[in-house]
Amino acid sequence: MDSIENSIAKGYADFADDHENTVDVTDITADTFEDTNSFLEMSDINKKLRSCFDGKIVRKDLTKSIKEGANVPVYVLEFLLGQYCSSDDPMVIEEGLNRVKKILAENYVRPDEAQKVLSLLRQRGSHSVIDKITVNLNIKKDTYEAEFSNLGIKGIPINEEYPSKYDRLLCGGIWCIVQLEYEFVEEDKNASPILIHRLTPIQMPYVDIDELKQGRKAFTQEEWMSVLLRSTGMESDALTERQKWLLIARMLPLVENNFNLCELGPRSTGKSHIYKEISPNSILVSGGQTTVANLFYNMGRKTVGLVGLWDCVAFDEVAGIHFKDKDGIQIMKDYMASGSFARGKEEKAASASMVFVGNINQSVDVLLKTSSLFAPFPPEMGTDTAFLDRMHCYVPGWEIPKFRPEHFTNDYGFITDYLAEFIRELRKEQYGDALDKYFRLGKNLNQRDTIAVRKMVDGFIKLLYPDGEFTKEQLEEVLKISLEMRRRVKEQLKKLGGMEFYDVNFSYIDLDDMSEHYVSVPEQGGGKLIPEGMCNPGQVYTVGQGRSGMIGVFRLESQMMPGNGKFERSGLGSDGKCKEAANTAFNFLKANANRISGSISTTTKDYIINYQDLQGIGMTDKLALPTLIALSSVALGKPVGSSLAVLGEISIAGTLIKVDELANSLQVCLDSGAKKVLLPITSAADLSSVPAELIGCFNLIFYSSAEDAVYKALGVE
């Protein structure tokens, strides 16, 4: 079989003889451009690309130079550039660029010029066009018929050799250069006067996946990663190792079936670029407004929606996603979980991946403290744990730099169409069980977590090691980032859904030595609300239910100065219950100061306490006990224990009040960095409802009275 390069050259040659407007390219193939001297000067990666994938690579700066002035799909443009500019000789490149420009100018059909082209065809009797061709089988006539996208004509007879040879014509269509002939027969007015004389694909008509796997063996992991990134237009040398992995993660929905990915981050980080420009097999839904009929199934027309037509459906600006149908989100949840959905009397299945991209307007630190990383989603999605649990992967978009000119490559990469097609072919292969040879997932991963991690491992292996050859160390690297991407989802679910999602300590077990390794999420690790080390006297951290109903962390900071027994509070606003709780503590101290310590004076000193809501959930009214400890601490000049969280409450008489939602409160303590927890003895019975793994994270200190709580908080025996 002829190579693709020679095939297109022959195709051009055949119809160039027949038509004066078409460029003569018989003598121009990729082989013509081989320049030995420049080849020797190339980088190792480019040498390997030229050796293994000649005719399927293109210099990305050439794409940019023409794309700016030609509204033609990137994959069509790059295919032509790959044929005529595959050289390092400036003269050859210049000649090739002129040829590509001429071909586009004379043969590319613009939708608004369709009638002009048809008129030209009628006048001349023959004309060549570049258009997207789709072929359908007319069962009634037992013939194949072609439909032209931009030209706007359909029902054109086509020889069955073309759909047999290029099956993609039957599966959504491909861009071709077609020599058309016009002959109107008076006797047979029902017959089409337009005939296809010759058709030559200018997209990849097929992909030899074995050739790709063989070619991959010539590259190291780092080199292959650079090739993939440059193929998408990014310059890998301008990125850190971590950033490279995150950009590769964006490609997972293109290589995996029914994969759900979310990426939220600042503007100008290229979140939607890969789904809009790189792959002809994905579609970007802009604006947010959509319908069940458009996305899933049109019951009136009996036609499947976008999920059945595309490999990947990406939603831009998630904040604006809105279904006109009430059941839209429910059907989406069903589809994201199972890859199928019910409409009418039947169930439909599809393999399209779902991608959600959008902007974060606040810093990540603020979001983590005040809400969740899913906050930009509309409320019906962003607070629905069932919907968010179906998200396999969360790419931290805030770690990807805002793109500047130096981030875009001028080097060689795969022709976009070749990249898209071999990625599509790889969707048929499975490597998700590869990790079972060396590793086992930890017990904190439930079924959905396991599926998500295996899908990501599968996707990364297909992208980075399509030949199926990788080491244990390389697999471990893939497994770590896969666990992190899923854990990010789980961490946010825990914030929104409480103890239902407590098991976030993801780990994997090395089968060689049975050692367990835990994987953390970078943004959760730093900036703990409850710091390690000794605080200043009078500084206390408490965990309780805020005004919003959410459980959060609150900080009390106290000052003492000479005076006459005044007590001032700041940070409580006009909240009567909070003020009452603070007053309860001061009154209790006045009545019982001697029982705590003889050196505490409530008559010759003034006290000031500032209350801070660290997570913006509304101030808690469970403040009496923390206030008592804070006042005692500053009065005695003794700080509370390191990494201590105070739980529980007292009445005016000193009666202990047990902790509401103990398990959730302890989970918040853990997330906030607490290592010691002060608990009322009345809550001991509720520990049975708390997972043992969670209890094991703390040094639990029980108190039996208000005075006992003060002693133990200050470390007084």
Side-chain angles (χ1 to χ4, degrees):
M1 186 180 284
D2 289 338
S3 67
I4 295 171
E5 300 99 301
N6 292 333
S7 168
I8 191 170
K10 283 181 181 176
Y12 270 111
D14 287 338
F15 63 75
D17 294 335
D18 299 322
H19 186 55
E20 61 185 10
N21 280 346
T22 309
V23 187
D24 182 11
V25 297
T26 51
D27 60 336
I28 299 179
T29 65
D31 296 334
T32 312
F33 297 147
E34 189 68 71
D35 187 321
T36 307
N37 293 327
S38 62
F39 186 74
L40 292 172
E41 294 169 5
M42 296 172 83
S43 70
D44 285 345
I45 296 180
N46 291 344
K47 284 182 185 178
K48 291 176 182 179
L49 280 172
R50 291 287 293 275
S51 172
C52 302
F53 299 102
D54 202 14
K56 300 176 183 68
I57 57 172
V58 68
R59 263 181 41 195
K60 295 294 176 174
D61 58 328
L62 302 179
T63 305
K64 286 188 286 186
S65 67
I66 296 187
K67 178 64 178 165
E68 289 167 2
N71 191 19
V72 59
V74 171
Y75 35 92
V76 173
L77 177 59
E78 288 196 349
F79 190 87
L80 294 173
L81 289 171
Q83 305 307 310
Y84 305 119
C85 301
S86 183
S87 173
D88 294 295
D89 185 339
M91 294 280 294
V92 174
I93 288 175
E94 184 65 29
E95 186 182 350
L97 279 173
N98 289 333
R99 289 179 182 273
V100 171
K101 288 176 181 175
K102 193 172 180 183
I103 290 168
L104 291 173
E106 295 175 353
N107 302 110
Y108 176 69
V109 179
R110 289 161 180 77
D112 59 331
E113 294 181 352
Q115 290 302 313
K116 177 183 171 183
V117 172
L118 289 173
S119 175
L120 196 66
L121 171 63
R122 179 177 175 272
Q123 290 169 22
R124 294 179 173 173
S126 175
H127 186 64
S128 301
V129 298
I130 294 176
D131 202 348
K132 186 175 183 179
I133 314 297
T134 308
V135 175
N136 299 300
L137 174 63
N138 188 326
I139 298 174
K140 291 181 180 178
K141 296 182 180 178
D142 190 31
T143 58
Y144 287 98
E145 295 177 347
E147 182 178 344
F148 290 67
S149 177
N150 286 0
L151 202 55
I153 55 175
K154 57 184 179 181
I156 309 300
I158 184 171
N159 194 307
E160 67 178 65
E161 71 170 284
Y162 293 116
S164 305
K165 192 174 180 182
Y166 311 123
D167 57 2
R168 282 191 57 202
L169 287 166
L170 298 162
C171 308
I174 52 173
W175 284 80
C176 306
I177 186 156
V178 188
Q179 185 189 352
L180 297 174
E181 292 184 344
Y182 191 96
E183 185 179 356
F184 184 77
V185 181
E186 188 73 33
E187 290 79 20
D188 189 4
K189 293 185 179 180
N190 292 325
S192 170
I194 299 174
L195 302 170
I196 294 173
H197 180 70
R198 185 169 284 104
L199 177 147
T200 307
I202 53 172
Q203 270 184 266
M204 293 286 163
Y206 63 91
V207 170
D208 187 347
I209 202 71
D210 293 326
E211 180 194 42
L212 171 84
K213 292 178 178 181
Q214 197 58 40
R216 166 65 181 91
K217 297 181 190 297
F219 299 81
T220 65
Q221 178 195 309
E222 191 176 347
E223 288 173 342
W224 188 251
M225 200 177 265
S226 293
V227 170
L228 286 179
L229 291 172
R230 285 171 182 169
S231 302
T232 65
M234 300 292 106
E235 178 47 67
S236 60
D237 292 347
L239 302 164
T240 65
E241 193 67 19
R242 169 82 171 167
Q243 289 164 352
K244 291 178 189 177
W245 277 97
L246 297 180
L247 289 177
I248 295 288
R250 285 177 173 175
M251 300 168 74
L252 291 174
L254 300 174
V255 81
E256 277 296 296
N257 295 312
N258 301 112
F259 184 80
N260 309 316
L261 176 142
C262 166
E263 181 183 350
L264 303 177
R267 291 163 179 80
S268 304
T269 55
K271 293 185 290 293
S272 58
H273 169 73
I274 196 163
Y275 311 111
K276 186 175 176 66
E277 295 289 344
I278 301 305
S279 175
N281 307 315
S282 71
I283 186 170
L284 186 71
V285 180
S286 302
Q289 282 268 4
T290 189
T291 62
V292 172
N294 179 48
L295 194 58
F296 296 106
Y297 190 75
N298 190 316
M299 294 180 66
R301 297 178 183 173
K302 306 287 185 192
T303 55
V304 72
L306 297 178
V307 295
L309 301 175
W310 301 87
D311 289 348
C312 174
V313 179
F315 293 89
D316 200 8
E317 300 299 339
V318 294
I321 295 177
H322 176 66
F323 277 95
K324 292 180 180 176
D325 317 76
K326 290 181 181 178
D327 59 347
I329 290 180
Q330 198 56 47
I331 293 174
M332 183 180 273
K333 285 198 290 190
D334 184 18
Y335 176 74
M336 288 169 70
S338 62
S340 61
F341 53 91
R343 289 290 283 163
K345 296 179 181 179
E346 50 187 328
E347 190 172 54
K348 300 286 181 183
S351 61
S353 296
M354 305 285 268
V355 174
F356 303 87
V357 296
N359 298 320
I360 286 179
N361 297 318
Q362 301 158 288
S363 74
V364 175
D365 289 342
V366 171
L367 275 181
L368 285 170
K369 288 178 182 177
T370 58
S371 54
S372 81
L373 293 176
F374 289 112
F377 277 82
E380 61 268 26
M381 291 180 174
T383 56
D384 184 348
T385 53
F387 172 81
L388 299 175
D389 196 21
R390 287 159 166 77
M391 209 70 73
H392 296 125
C393 172
Y394 191 133
V395 178
W398 53 89
E399 292 189 41
I400 296 170
K402 286 180 177 282
F403 288 151
R404 297 186 297 277
E406 63 264 28
H407 288 114
F408 296 97
T409 189
N410 292 325
D411 218 324
Y412 282 96
F414 287 130
I415 296 166
T416 301
D417 192 52
Y418 182 69
L419 173 76
E421 286 312 303
F422 82 65
I423 281 179
R424 189 178 208 188
E425 279 297 307
L426 288 170
R427 288 172 77 94
K428 300 172 185 175
E429 305 199 3
Q430 295 294 324
Y431 292 106
D433 58 350
L435 63 89
D436 296 334
K437 185 178 177 182
Y438 301 109
F439 306 104
R440 190 175 77 234
L441 297 175
K443 61 179 182 295
N444 266 5
L445 282 86
N446 63 27
Q447 183 62 14
R448 276 196 176 147
D449 302 327
T450 304
I451 291 171
V453 170
R454 286 189 179 277
K455 276 181 175 285
M456 278 183 275
V457 169
D458 184 49
F460 277 121
I461 289 176
K462 285 193 280 195
L463 288 167
L464 297 174
Y465 314 106
D467 54 345
E469 294 183 10
F470 46 85
T471 64
K472 178 184 174 182
E473 288 71 28
Q474 289 170 330
L475 181 61
E476 188 171 17
E477 193 173 18
V478 166
L479 181 56
K480 280 181 181 175
I481 194 152
S482 301
L483 283 164
E484 181 209 312
M485 296 296 169
R486 173 60 186 176
R487 179 169 175 176
R488 183 169 289 106
V489 175
K490 202 70 178 289
E491 288 279 2
Q492 304 314 304
L493 285 171
K494 185 183 66 180
K495 291 189 75 169
L496 295 165
M499 287 315 296
E500 185 185 351
F501 303 101
Y502 81 92
D503 45 355
V504 296
N505 292 314
F506 285 6
S507 62
Y508 62 93
I509 296 161
D510 189 325
L511 295 179
D512 286 343
D513 58 9
M514 298 309 289
S515 59
E516 190 166 12
H517 305 268
Y518 288 87
V519 176
S520 60
V521 183
E523 66 269 12
Q524 297 287 138
K528 294 294 188 187
L529 295 175
I530 302 176
E532 290 187 46
M534 289 297 193
C535 302
N536 295 324
Q539 189 168 319
V540 173
Y541 290 88
T542 184
V543 170
Q545 194 175 53
R547 197 181 301 116
S548 65
M550 293 176 67
I551 297 171
V553 185
F554 306 89
R555 180 169 63 208
L556 286 67
E557 291 182 313
S558 316
Q559 289 287 331
M560 180 181 70
M561 58 196 73
N564 53 9
K566 289 182 183 172
F567 176 49
E568 292 182 20
R569 308 152 309 233
S570 63
L572 297 179
S574 58
D575 194 312
K577 284 189 176 180
C578 296
K579 290 179 177 178
E580 187 181 331
N583 290 334
T584 296
F586 190 65
N587 291 332
F588 183 89
L589 185 65
K590 285 197 290 187
N592 302 280
N594 289 334
R595 291 168 59 183
I596 298 171
S597 171
S599 55
I600 297 177
S601 172
T602 55
T603 55
T604 61
K605 305 287 184 183
D606 287 347
Y607 297 89
I608 302 171
I609 295 190
N610 175 251
Y611 298 86
Q612 296 171 40
D613 174 7
L614 296 182
Q615 293 172 296
I617 62 170
M619 185 56 67
T620 182
D621 57 8
K622 305 291 190 294
L623 291 173
L625 183 68
T627 302
L628 176 65
I629 294 171
L631 290 169
S632 303
S633 170
V634 75
L636 298 171
K638 288 182 71 70
V640 300
S642 171
S643 305
L644 177 74
V646 175
L647 269 66
E649 182 63 319
I650 57 169
S651 68
I652 186 68
T655 306
L656 301 186
I657 301 169
K658 71 175 188 177
V659 181
D660 295 327
E661 297 186 53
L662 180 59
N664 287 337
S665 298
L666 287 174
Q667 186 64 60
V668 172
C669 291
L670 179 65
D671 298 341
S672 306
K675 294 189 173 77
K676 300 174 188 170
V677 177
L678 198 64
L679 271 177
I681 196 70
T682 50
S683 290
D686 295 339
L687 286 174
S688 59
S689 66
V690 182
E693 298 92 334
L694 186 56
I695 295 173
C697 296
F698 305 108
N699 176 12
L700 297 180
I701 305 167
F702 291 98
Y703 58 89
S704 54
S705 66
E707 296 88 349
D708 190 32
V710 174
Y711 295 149
K712 287 175 175 173
L714 303 182
V716 179
E717 298 297 329

